[in-house]
Amino acid sequence: KILLETNNLKKSFENADRSITLFDNLNIKINQGDLVALVGPSGSGKSSLLHLLALLDEPSKGRITINSIETKKLSNIQKDNLRREMISIIFQDNNLLNDFTTIENVMMPLLIKNIHKEEAKYKAQKILKTVKILDRSQHFPNELSGGEQQRVAIARALIADTNLILADEPTGNLDFQTSKEIFSYFLKLKKIQKTIIFATHNRE
């Protein structure tokens, strides 16, 4: 089943004296259960494409269809609802909430869906254990290292149990061993038909 499709997608930026086109006529079909790497150097448009697929930005031209829904026709509220139900995002800069502890940050996607607090806490503890940061569950983001913050961001994205996970350099701040562990977790998600698209400049 095709989960995500782009048709003639274009993204360009205009300024006073010139136009920069990141990509044009981009046509891709991504099936449920696919694990896709966007590989390229910094500045090649990987993050911009992920922002489009996450419905956080508008394309200059073309269409994005997610789960047979053409997103161009959606209102902002409908886009928010689609994101909440179907898309998890792991941002390059973490976007953690500074006033909340590690476990509260991870619980947030479930609390937004009105899942009971105790159930949300149980699931958050389970996933923090998976990404090996349960012992930091009561720490605030500014008390964590860059790699630890990234693991919290990954846990927060994974707990939502969405069909589509978009990850922008998800292992960029992590050591080699932790990167391998996170990637092996992505492979487990693929086996249960989750779709993962991640940007990286690391060909390995």
Side-chain angles (χ1 to χ4, degrees):
K1 181 192 171 186
I2 295 172
L3 183 71
L4 187 149
E5 184 174 1
T6 70
N7 299 97
N8 300 323
L9 202 64
K10 177 181 181 180
K11 184 62 182 176
S12 57
F13 295 99
E14 313 286 335
N15 62 24
D17 55 349
R18 62 181 180 144
S19 169
I20 299 169
T21 299
L22 292 178
F23 41 81
D24 197 2
N25 290 324
L26 181 65
N27 295 282
I28 52 175
K29 289 182 182 177
I30 295 174
N31 294 317
Q32 194 165 324
D34 280 354
L35 176 60
V36 179
L38 303 175
V39 183
S42 296
S44 58
K46 303 186 299 296
S47 297
S48 295
L49 177 57
L50 285 179
H51 275 77
L52 292 178
L53 300 181
L55 310 181
L56 296 170
D57 192 11
E58 295 283 336
S60 306
K61 191 184 82 176
R63 294 198 320 268
I64 298 168
T65 305
I66 299 175
N67 205 30
S68 302
I69 300 165
E70 193 182 315
T71 59
K72 202 171 190 176
K73 299 172 181 175
L74 301 180
S75 67
N76 286 335
I77 291 172
Q78 288 172 318
K79 284 180 183 177
D80 287 342
N81 289 336
L82 180 61
R83 254 195 309 273
R84 187 164 59 237
E85 295 304 317
M86 288 210 56
I87 304 171
S88 294
I89 308 164
I90 303 170
F91 292 102
Q92 196 171 7
D93 56 0
N94 301 320
N95 278 18
L96 298 177
L97 301 167
N98 290 322
D99 295 336
F100 294 88
T101 62
T102 291
I103 196 162
E104 288 168 342
N105 265 283
V106 176
M107 289 166 63
M108 201 62 67
L110 299 186
L111 298 178
I112 288 168
K113 291 181 179 181
N114 294 319
I115 287 171
H116 191 271
K117 190 175 177 181
E118 286 308 309
E119 184 185 348
K121 187 176 180 181
Y122 171 75
K123 288 186 173 179
Q125 287 172 329
K126 200 172 169 185
I127 207 149
L128 284 170
K129 190 175 180 183
T130 300
V131 298
K132 299 191 173 176
I133 199 167
L134 182 59
D135 61 329
R136 311 285 271 167
S137 61
Q138 297 306 316
H139 289 69
F140 290 91
N142 65 358
E143 298 172 324
L144 304 174
S145 70
E148 287 170 335
Q149 288 180 26
Q150 189 72 334
R151 276 187 268 179
V152 177
I154 289 166
R156 182 183 59 185
L158 299 180
I159 200 171
D161 197 28
T162 57
N163 283 337
L164 178 60
I165 298 163
L166 303 173
D168 194 0
E169 300 281 1
T171 58
N173 291 326
L174 303 179
D175 61 83
F176 178 73
Q177 187 56 38
T178 309
S179 298
K180 271 176 64 177
E181 288 166 3
I182 295 298
F183 192 76
S184 70
Y185 193 74
F186 283 167
L187 292 174
K188 286 178 191 168
L189 292 172
K190 173 180 164 60
K191 283 180 185 170
I192 57 169
Q193 291 296 292
K194 301 296 183 187
T195 302
I196 301 138
I197 306 171
F198 69 98
T200 182
H201 56 256
N202 183 342
R203 288 189 170 273
E204 187 177 351

